[in-house]
Amino acid sequence: MRQGAQGSADTGTPWAATASAAAAEPEQPAQPAEPAGSARVPQQAGAVRGEHTHSEPPAPAVPVLPRARPVIQRASVRGQILDALRAALVAGDLRPGEVYSAPVLGERFGVSATPVREAMQQLVLEGAVEVVPNRGFRVVERGVRQLAELAEVRALIEVPVMLRLARTVPAERWAEMRPLAEATVRAASTGCRATYAESDRGFHRAVLSLSGNEQLVQIAEDLHRRAQWPLVGGGPGFRGRADLVADAHEHTALLDALVARDLDVVRALVGEHFAGAGAGSA
């Protein structure tokens, strides 16, 4: 690298700066000769420059540390691959039960196998895939029962929060959520499950964030993401455009109920929304 090659001759380096400063130090003018017999009083260090010298101990030398090397971050590449793999899972491009190797996926995404392997390890922690020694990563197979269990847990967490927010959040705050609800309808109209899944999570995340509980938001989003993974053989998890649009319109209806503070309607809508998720809805 050109910058590294010039480092040794660059006066900006600590050791070069020290050498330059020493070479540029002006010489002190010669002191006049003292008359014979006069008592010579030794001067303390720094007295020539008029510095304060009342029996102060000399200041310790400050070590000059070399400049730290820049650290190249891989998180951006890994994060992009992770997002792409998550989208592929929701879209069904990565099929349940199939084994995928990091080098093959790396060729697909135009990157090396390392960031793919790192992203896959994160999906292992999330429960989306499992390691197959010497082969790669297998997409976890799930059935309707697992999806229904996720829907039940989501309801246990989010329904009480929604009801509390319905009592406390003013109408103008709910109005700020309207564009997000409308965005889910537009995303659903494309028929792309991955596009709708991301928009759907964004709406739920924004609503739950009004609770001020970041841990709750993170846990709910993790459960929501798991609920969006496809089932074995497609199954009811692969819904058509009309089903996605109907699911998205429940967001706007929910906002209307929250603005009106109609707790019964809020409870019913959220319950139906998660019941649909248990049957394969996003």
Side-chain angles (χ1 to χ4, degrees):
M1 294 178 64
R2 180 178 300 176
Q3 183 177 359
Q6 295 177 348
S8 60
D10 188 359
T11 57
T13 55
W15 52 88
T18 304
S20 299
E25 181 71 24
E27 296 182 0
Q28 298 297 329
Q31 298 295 326
E34 299 178 0
S38 61
R40 180 179 179 86
V41 179
Q43 292 182 333
Q44 297 180 2
V48 175
R49 301 183 183 179
E51 298 176 0
H52 190 62
T53 57
H54 291 297
S55 302
E56 294 180 352
V62 179
V64 179
L65 300 178
R67 290 180 297 183
R69 292 178 178 269
V71 179
I72 300 176
Q73 300 291 341
R74 300 174 51 87
S76 60
V77 177
R78 173 184 173 276
Q80 293 176 32
I81 297 301
L82 179 59
D83 290 341
L85 290 172
R86 284 170 170 168
L89 277 171
V90 176
D93 295 333
L94 297 180
R95 296 184 298 274
E98 295 291 330
V99 177
Y100 298 89
S101 69
V104 172
L105 291 175
E107 291 180 2
R108 177 188 298 185
F109 294 120
V111 298
S112 67
T114 301
V116 175
R117 191 174 292 109
E118 293 172 349
M120 277 294 197
Q121 291 294 344
Q122 176 60 35
L123 292 179
V124 170
L125 296 177
E126 296 177 3
V129 300
E130 57 188 7
V131 177
V132 180
N134 302 321
R135 293 185 59 193
F137 302 87
R138 177 187 292 114
V139 179
V140 173
E141 299 178 288
R142 303 183 314 152
V144 176
R145 177 178 177 179
Q146 287 80 8
L147 201 61
E149 290 174 350
L150 284 170
E152 181 180 2
V153 176
R154 288 183 65 199
L156 290 172
I157 293 176
E158 295 193 35
V159 171
V161 176
M162 294 280 192
L163 294 176
R164 176 166 59 86
L165 294 176
R167 301 186 188 98
T168 58
V169 175
E172 56 267 20
R173 294 300 303 276
W174 294 124
E176 297 173 1
M177 302 292 169
R178 187 74 58 178
L180 293 175
E182 295 171 350
T184 64
V185 177
R186 292 193 299 271
S189 65
T190 66
C192 176
R193 289 183 295 273
T195 301
Y196 175 66
E198 183 176 356
S199 181
D200 184 29
R201 289 197 312 275
F203 173 79
H204 283 265
R205 180 171 58 249
V207 171
L208 294 177
S209 66
L210 296 178
S211 68
N213 189 328
E214 296 182 2
Q215 299 300 318
L216 182 146
V217 174
Q218 293 177 8
I219 292 173
E221 173 138 358
D222 179 66
L223 293 170
H224 196 167
R225 190 187 303 279
R226 292 169 182 258
Q228 293 172 334
W229 297 334
L231 303 181
V232 176
F238 287 87
R239 308 184 73 191
R241 179 180 303 176
D243 296 317
L244 297 180
V245 171
D247 190 77
H249 277 298
E250 292 179 358
H251 296 148
T252 57
L254 176 61
L255 280 182
D256 293 336
L258 289 168
V259 170
R261 295 192 173 182
D262 192 331
L263 301 185
D264 291 335
V265 175
V266 169
R267 184 183 293 104
L269 284 173
V270 177
E272 291 174 2
H273 194 65
F274 288 138
S281 169

